[in-house]
Amino acid sequence: MATIQSSSLLSSSFSSSSASDIPRDIRAAASKSRASHLSVLKLPSGNLVHEPSRKNGFQTINSGEMKPLIRANMRNDEANCNSKVVEELYAIMEAVADRSEMHKNIGVQRDNWNRLLLNSVNGMTVTAATMAGLASLSGGGEPFLSLKLSSILLYTAATGILMVMNNIQPSQLAEEQRNAARLFKNLHQQIKTIVAVGSPSLNDVNAAMERVLALDKAYPLPLLGTMLEKFPKTVAPAVWWPREVGSQHEKVGGGVERNGWSEKLEEEMREVVGVLKRKDAAEYVRLSKLVLKVNKILAMCGPLFTGIAAMGSSMVGSSAWNGSWGVVLGVVFGALATVVNTLEHGGQVGMMFEMYRSTAGYFQLMEETIESTLKEKEVGERENGELFEVKVALQLGRSLPGLQNLATTHSPSPSDEFASKLF
């Protein structure tokens, strides 16, 4: 018994001495870890797994738990749809940028056509007239025949080239491509702004596609088959936008904000449309008709003069009377043909016709844009009125007070002032 008690005393003293030797922070960490292990072993009072309620033998889920799931799914679908729309707009932007570059390059090429063909035809005409004059002075023999035949051949070739050149109007072709390149570049910037600033939708994609197709139709690239008529019977403004039919928005109810619009602003926009129709668009359509008449006369006179000069060269040296008149016809009408060709193609009369026609289309586009905006019954669906007024003023080259003065000046009685200060 004495040995057992002594051993127990030794063990207790050893344990107490060993516990006292352990640092205090280590003992605290050990006690905390034991408590955490014990807390893990405790089971909760309720079920670990939530069992869905059963009704009529089928599992049902609480509607409050379904709402976050539905919202999450809707957000995911919306994000997927938005990303798809953005991808489609980027694809359209790439096609538009490519078309802009193509029209720019083809415009440069056709402008080169105009300069090279004009220089070639004038050179051939002047050379043919010179040869006709030298043939009359040569007196006869082989030099006379060679000069005479060369003059006839050059005049005939110049007549054929002029007929083709006047039919396609290279200066007008170049202006068409320049306009197309500018409009495609403008469309590219508008789509870029929609992607960067706004929240694009499928309507934006459809509108962009319609504008691309309308531009392709208004300014075709190939010459054969789809080339625009260079001498149309009726002159109309150029149209490069999709034509809208009616209003796109219906009235859904009252009580909406004015969105920057007022009755005074709406009346001001109506007056601007009236001035554009009466003055600006009508004036540029009139100028287009005038330039078209001049271009028709010049296009007919050029090949006619070279043809008469070719006939005159063929009569050189035939007899005393016919020979002298043959030289006059060959030299004088050759010089006249050179002057006419320089006026028509060097002055780029076809380009002027296309420029006036496009300017008339510019004003017609403004008219339709303002009218379609005013036709929208729901004011909240319109573009902000103050912003719209600023855009109209900038497109007409006017300040806001100047635009307002234009509407007040034309409201009692029409005046001679044009709406646009740019053209």
Side-chain angles (χ1 to χ4, degrees):
M1 288 293 293
T3 59
I4 296 174
Q5 289 177 354
S6 63
S7 63
S8 63
L9 289 173
L10 288 173
S11 62
S12 62
S13 64
F14 177 77
S15 61
S16 61
S17 63
S18 63
S20 62
D21 293 338
I22 298 174
R24 186 175 300 173
D25 54 351
I26 296 177
R27 291 199 304 269
S31 62
K32 186 181 291 185
S33 63
R34 287 195 299 270
S36 63
H37 286 297
L38 290 174
S39 62
V40 172
L41 295 175
K42 292 181 180 179
L43 294 175
S45 58
N47 293 332
L48 289 175
V49 181
H50 174 73
E51 294 183 359
S53 60
R54 296 179 178 269
K55 186 175 182 181
N56 297 329
F58 297 96
Q59 290 185 352
T60 60
I61 301 176
N62 190 3
S63 61
E65 297 175 358
M66 279 294 295
K67 288 181 180 178
L69 296 175
I70 295 174
R71 292 195 194 98
N73 292 333
M74 291 176 64
R75 283 196 296 268
N76 292 333
D77 294 341
E78 197 172 317
N80 293 333
C81 182
N82 193 20
S83 63
K84 182 181 178 182
V85 168
V86 171
E87 290 177 0
E88 292 178 352
L89 286 176
Y90 271 112
I92 295 174
M93 285 174 61
E94 291 178 1
V96 168
D98 184 60
R99 277 176 169 81
S100 177
E101 191 66 22
M102 282 194 300
H103 283 282
K104 179 181 176 182
N105 295 336
I106 292 178
V108 173
Q109 178 196 36
R110 291 176 181 177
D111 187 54
N112 290 334
W113 283 3
N114 185 55
R115 292 187 290 105
L116 294 175
L117 288 173
L118 175 62
N119 293 334
S120 300
V121 169
N122 282 346
M124 293 168 65
T125 306
V126 171
T127 304
T130 305
M131 287 183 174
L134 293 175
S136 64
L137 298 176
S138 62
E142 294 179 358
F144 167 77
L145 184 61
S146 61
L147 289 172
K148 180 178 178 180
L149 291 177
S150 298
S151 177
I152 294 172
L153 288 175
L154 286 174
Y155 273 133
T156 304
T159 303
I161 294 174
L162 274 177
M163 292 179 66
V164 176
M165 193 175 177
N166 293 341
N167 190 28
I168 64 175
Q169 293 291 319
S171 64
Q172 186 173 346
L173 289 174
E175 181 66 15
E176 291 172 4
Q177 302 308 313
R178 283 193 290 265
N179 288 336
R182 177 180 59 84
L183 293 171
F184 272 114
K185 185 177 179 180
N186 186 21
L187 177 59
H188 183 273
Q189 289 298 119
Q190 290 180 3
I191 299 175
K192 187 176 179 181
T193 303
I194 291 173
V195 174
V197 178
S199 55
S201 62
L202 289 176
N203 292 331
D204 296 323
V205 175
N206 295 331
M209 285 293 298
E210 289 178 358
R211 291 192 60 182
V212 170
L213 296 177
L215 279 171
D216 288 339
K217 183 179 179 181
Y219 299 104
L221 286 171
L223 287 177
L224 301 177
T226 59
M227 183 181 67
L228 296 179
E229 180 65 35
K230 297 301 179 285
F231 300 100
K233 295 181 180 178
T234 58
V235 178
V239 177
W240 60 83
W241 60 93
R243 309 304 295 265
E244 297 179 356
V245 181
S247 178
Q248 294 181 353
H249 303 283
E250 298 293 336
K251 186 174 180 180
V252 295
V256 296
E257 298 180 357
R258 296 298 294 173
N259 193 22
W261 287 91
S262 63
E263 294 182 359
K264 181 180 178 181
L265 180 57
E266 292 180 356
E267 187 63 28
E268 176 186 334
M269 292 295 107
R270 292 189 182 94
E271 291 296 332
V272 170
V273 170
V275 176
L276 288 172
K277 287 182 177 179
R278 291 193 305 267
K279 302 295 296 182
D280 299 76
E283 176 68 15
Y284 278 94
V285 169
R286 184 187 68 82
L287 290 174
S288 300
K289 292 179 179 179
L290 177 62
V291 173
L292 181 62
K293 289 180 180 178
V294 173
N295 198 22
K296 283 182 178 179
I297 294 173
L298 294 176
M300 289 187 295
C301 289
L304 178 63
F305 289 165
T306 53
I308 294 175
M311 294 175 59
S313 296
S314 64
M315 292 188 296
V316 173
S318 57
S319 64
W321 186 83
N322 290 335
S324 60
W325 276 105
V327 173
V328 171
L329 293 176
V331 175
V332 173
F333 277 92
L336 287 175
T338 304
V339 173
V340 169
N341 297 333
T342 303
L343 288 176
E344 181 183 7
H345 300 288
Q348 298 188 353
V349 182
M351 181 273 295
M352 293 175 62
F353 169 71
E354 182 62 28
M355 181 181 66
Y356 288 145
R357 196 174 71 94
S358 298
T359 306
Y362 175 81
F363 293 129
Q364 183 173 340
L365 175 61
M366 286 193 65
E367 295 171 15
E368 294 186 4
T369 302
I370 297 174
E371 288 176 347
S372 63
T373 302
L374 294 177
K375 285 180 182 179
E376 294 176 353
K377 302 299 182 182
E378 187 63 38
V379 180
E381 295 293 334
R382 295 180 185 174
E383 186 178 0
N384 183 270
E386 297 175 355
L387 178 60
F388 187 77
E389 185 182 16
V390 170
K391 288 183 178 181
V392 171
L394 290 175
Q395 289 175 353
L396 294 177
R398 288 178 173 269
S399 62
L400 290 178
L403 187 65
Q404 296 169 0
N405 292 334
L406 174 69
T408 56
T409 301
H410 283 265
S411 54
S413 60
S415 65
D416 293 333
E417 186 180 7
F418 289 87
S420 176
K421 295 292 185 180
L422 292 177
F423 306 108

